[in-house]
Amino acid sequence: MALLGRSLVTRVMGNREKGGKMKGVHNSNNNYQSKIAQFVVTAEQMHQIEERVFVAGMPVAALMEKVAGLIARRIEELYPLKGSENQLPITNHQSLNIGILVGPGHNGGDALVVARELHFQGYKVSVYLAFPKLKELTSQHARYARSLTIPFFDQIEPLQDCDIIIDGLFGFGLERPLSDSVADAINKLNSWSKPIISIDIPSGLHTDTGEVLGTAVRATRTLCLGLWKQAFLQDQALEYIGKAELIGFDIPLADIAAVLGATPKIQRVTKANAYANLPLVRPPVTHKYKQGHLLLICGSRRYAGGAILTGLGARGSGVGMLSIAVPASLKPLLVSHLPEALIVDCPETETGAIASLPDGINLDSYSAIACGPGLTTDATPVVQSVLESDRTLVLDADGLNILAQLELSPREAPTILTPHAGEFKRLFPDIAEPTKDRIEAVSLASQQSNAVVLLKGARTAIANPSGSIYIIPESTPALARGGSGDVLTGLLGGLLAQASSPQMPIAEIVATGAWWHAQAGILAAKERTELGVDAFTLTQYLIPVLRGIV
Ligand SMILES: NC(=O)C1=CN([C@@H]2O[C@H](COP(=O)(O)OP(=O)(O)OC[C@H]3O[C@@H](n4cnc5c(N)ncnc54)[C@H](O)[C@@H]3O)[C@@H](O)[C@H]2O)[C@@H](O)CC1
Ligand SMILES: [K+]
């Protein structure tokens, strides 16, 4: 399956020379920020990028000073001292007690620079030094901080009265599970329920998988340094990370490209990426069939609502023509909810499922097919017939449950599978637990099935068989609600039907649909709380999301 066209990143990074040389790109601007927002690195890749910067001449100590300075400014912004704009020293001003956790490596070094800077700004700073042996630069900062009379402790308890904790125990250099004494300190810290800001990554998390290595700091906020680490896109890490933000420090794009490649394997889907793939501008002269004809196959007597929600998701996509195949008895209901759609009434099984598609239906006349929501597993022959078609096909819900019982024979046209974790396990029983390293799991599944696989979750991940992975970096738990997946299926089907040529990058379109769906949830939750985002309401927020980006 040829799924990928020109990559998003190649498109936005077009001003880089081949071979990784910069063409006078000035980093410190919004353009740079929006470019680096797409990248995702493993610990190993971050090491390699950092190494290139050092080899090029940037002194290690200077980079630490720059980065930690940015962290300190951000902390001052988040927790300002009363009257701090007036002066130093501090004596007459109300102060904040800041507890700083310092580990052995450069994450600890960052924390010590932050300690020094906050001390000079008038904060009352105390340090918990978790290890006697420190890396050279970290050790120098510790010596200077002590000379400033900042108190140091080798136990965490004295920090219990602090107002805020800064976690600089470990960054991306954590390589093995924590020792008992550090784990005990972290467990104590977590039990205090104080605001905690983690530097780079909450200490104890694996930088790539987001796995907890024994125990981990539960941060209120994490300031990720330079480039997003993979853990920030792994569901299992999210409850430890708290609010996440990126503190960029001007890593040259050429060094990023030299390590990640011109087309990075993993990309965060940003507003700019999504915008590039939305069919927002139509040709001035067109007609409804030129704007895509989507066939939805969904619903049963038992799950009639699923068909309506899938239809409303497709309506939100703006697709030119929408046909919905349902059991014949559901036709009046569907017509009343989606008067613009052509309802294809199908023969029914005794249980009220679709028994087969109507005789004479020509699947070739559709631009794309989306099949599954509310079908029940009695609709097996229908799923078989769409699998045999040569149309772009989205399979979801019971479409996937039926597929799990069938052999997925190779298809010429693109196939898109959209499982949640439970469906994923049924479809790919020999791939490790999809709740662990979801990025690895979705990538393996895509290669195994030769399909685009979208693994739903707090950070939905989409993989295509050529190895590219797209991750939706923001979402809302408001979407954990019956029917919201049906809306996604309709939306994806509608976007794929509008893809004007078979060369369009299918996985990117799927990623765009998933981003749009998540943004609709976020907007709806903002206006209506997380309780107010039922699936029908969600469909009403699809178009308002576009208002914010056009
Ligand atoms: N990437 C960059 O370009 C920059 C990185 N900086 C900081 O440097 C950090 C990475 O620094 P390091 O590579 O020194 O790594 P860390 O500070 O994460 O820690 C590594 C140190 O901890 C030890 N260690 C690892 N696992 C351990 C365990 N379970 N128990 C006890 N000790 C363990 C290692 O032997 C090593 O000495 C980043 O997270 C960031 O905070 C910034 O200072 C500046 C820029
Ligand atoms: K940390």
Side-chain angles (χ1 to χ4, degrees):
M1 259 189 308
L3 294 172
L4 262 189
R6 218 156 35 119
S7 99
L8 295 170
V9 166
T10 348
R11 219 172 293 156
V12 295
M13 291 183 66
N15 52 3
R16 193 196 322 120
E17 282 180 338
K18 279 203 178 131
K21 287 255 169 61
M22 298 291 289
K23 251 186 174 177
V25 181
H26 182 54
N27 280 340
S28 304
N29 54 30
N30 289 341
N31 202 14
Y32 174 77
Q33 300 299 343
S34 91
K35 283 172 192 168
I36 61 164
Q38 301 171 89
F39 301 127
V40 183
V41 289
T42 60
E44 176 54 29
Q45 288 166 335
M46 193 67 196
H47 270 304
Q48 288 175 18
I49 293 170
E50 163 188 75
E51 203 43 42
R52 287 180 62 87
V53 173
F54 296 146
V55 167
M58 181 69 174
V60 178
L63 190 61
M64 181 180 285
E65 197 64 26
K66 170 171 174 145
V67 174
L70 293 169
I71 300 168
R73 299 294 96 74
R74 182 67 184 129
I75 292 169
E76 288 163 33
E77 214 172 81
L78 290 166
Y79 299 100
L81 278 182
K82 272 198 192 142
S84 59
E85 68 279 11
N86 293 335
Q87 63 232 281
L88 294 168
I90 9 138
T91 35
N92 292 329
H93 298 291
Q94 182 184 335
S95 191
L96 276 171
N97 291 335
I98 314 261
I100 311 237
L101 318 184
V102 173
H106 287 177
N107 197 251
D110 286 349
L112 285 165
V113 175
V114 169
R116 185 198 71 209
E117 290 296 294
L118 294 180
H119 165 80
F120 283 135
Q121 292 303 316
Y123 294 81
K124 194 166 176 297
V125 173
S126 311
V127 168
Y128 161 56
L129 193 60
F131 297 88
K133 200 164 174 305
L134 308 176
K135 273 191 178 174
E136 178 56 25
L137 185 55
T138 308
S139 170
Q140 280 178 17
H141 282 302
R143 192 151 55 84
Y144 186 54
R146 282 185 201 271
S147 81
L148 299 171
T149 69
I150 292 174
F152 275 59
F153 303 96
D154 59 5
Q155 302 288 319
I156 199 165
E157 283 77 4
L159 271 56
Q160 187 162 6
D161 295 331
C162 289
D163 303 300
I164 301 152
I165 303 285
I166 310 297
D167 155 34
L169 286 174
F170 298 102
F172 63 74
L174 182 67
E175 313 161 316
R176 49 188 189 273
L178 301 170
S179 65
D180 288 349
S181 63
V182 178
D184 284 351
I186 290 179
N187 289 336
K188 271 188 197 127
L189 166 73
N190 287 339
S191 74
W192 297 340
S193 304
K194 287 184 187 296
I196 303 174
I197 299 188
S198 282
I199 297 176
D200 211 10
I201 187 166
S203 300
L205 288 191
H206 190 286
T207 307
D208 305 344
T209 64
E211 191 187 344
V212 175
L213 297 169
T215 191
V217 170
R218 283 182 186 273
T220 318
R221 185 184 290 265
T222 301
L223 306 179
C224 181
L225 306 179
L227 293 167
W228 289 108
K229 315 296 177 311
Q230 216 171 273
F232 287 77
L233 301 167
Q234 298 273 16
D235 284 12
Q236 61 180 342
L238 299 185
E239 61 178 305
Y240 293 88
I241 285 171
K243 275 193 183 156
E245 61 184 273
L246 186 66
I247 305 277
F249 57 86
D250 304 319
I251 302 172
L253 293 175
D255 291 312
I256 300 171
V259 173
L260 301 188
T263 306
K265 185 175 161 223
I266 307 180
Q267 294 168 39
R268 291 171 84 247
V269 181
T270 63
K271 192 202 272 194
N273 305 147
Y275 182 76
N277 284 304
L278 284 169
L280 284 168
V281 182
R282 291 184 164 187
V285 179
T286 186
H287 58 74
K288 61 191 173 198
Y289 290 109
K290 270 197 171 166
Q291 298 310 131
H293 187 178
L294 171 66
L295 174 64
L296 293 179
I297 305 172
C298 47
S300 57
R301 202 183 304 144
R302 181 151 183 229
Y303 301 115
I308 298 169
L309 291 168
T310 313
L312 293 173
R315 174 193 274 177
S317 74
V319 68
M321 194 58 208
L322 175 61
S323 290
I324 312 180
V326 289
S329 60
L330 296 192
K331 184 169 181 173
L333 179 73
L334 266 291
V335 170
S336 72
H337 282 274
L338 288 131
E340 77 275 28
L342 212 119
I343 308 301
V344 180
D345 43 328
C346 301
E348 295 189 27
T349 63
E350 272 179 19
T351 57
I354 301 176
S356 63
L357 291 171
D359 284 345
I361 190 169
N362 178 12
L363 294 182
D364 291 350
S365 65
Y366 300 98
S367 333
I369 301 173
C371 172
L375 284 184
T376 79
T377 44
D378 294 340
T380 303
V382 180
V383 174
Q384 260 161 339
S385 63
V386 292
L387 280 168
E388 283 160 17
S389 78
D390 70 347
R391 300 287 92 183
T392 297
L393 173 64
V394 181
L395 277 186
D396 181 37
D398 283 324
L400 297 172
N401 294 331
I402 292 169
L403 179 65
Q405 312 301 322
L406 303 170
E407 205 41 29
L408 177 58
S409 40
R411 298 187 75 242
E412 280 292 309
T415 310
I416 299 96
L417 310 177
T418 61
H420 54 56
E423 290 157 347
F424 186 98
K425 272 191 221 168
R426 285 192 282 281
L427 277 172
F428 305 104
D430 52 338
I431 295 180
E433 184 63 53
T435 52
K436 295 281 183 206
D437 186 345
R438 287 167 42 89
I439 297 175
E440 171 82 357
V442 75
S443 174
L444 289 172
S446 177
Q447 278 156 40
Q448 200 180 93
S449 60
N450 204 31
V452 171
V453 178
L454 176 153
L455 175 57
K456 291 171 184 168
R459 296 291 175 268
T460 289
I462 299 109
N464 79 14
S466 72
S468 302
I469 299 167
Y470 303 86
I471 306 178
I472 311 303
E474 286 182 314
S475 191
T476 165
L479 289 174
R481 195 150 173 179
S484 86
D486 302 345
V487 175
L488 177 64
T489 303
L491 183 65
L492 295 180
L495 285 175
L496 290 163
Q498 289 173 83
S500 48
S501 83
Q503 275 71 48
M504 289 287 283
I506 298 294
E508 290 182 27
I509 296 169
V510 171
T512 297
W515 175 89
W516 187 358
H517 181 261
Q519 290 295 317
I522 291 168
L523 183 62
K526 206 160 141 193
E527 287 185 10
R528 297 171 50 88
T529 81
E530 286 176 2
L531 305 186
V533 193
D534 60 275
F536 174 78
T537 299
L538 176 66
T539 66
Q540 307 303 294
Y541 279 83
L542 288 170
I543 296 302
V545 165
L546 300 185
R547 263 190 242 130
I549 67 168
V550 175

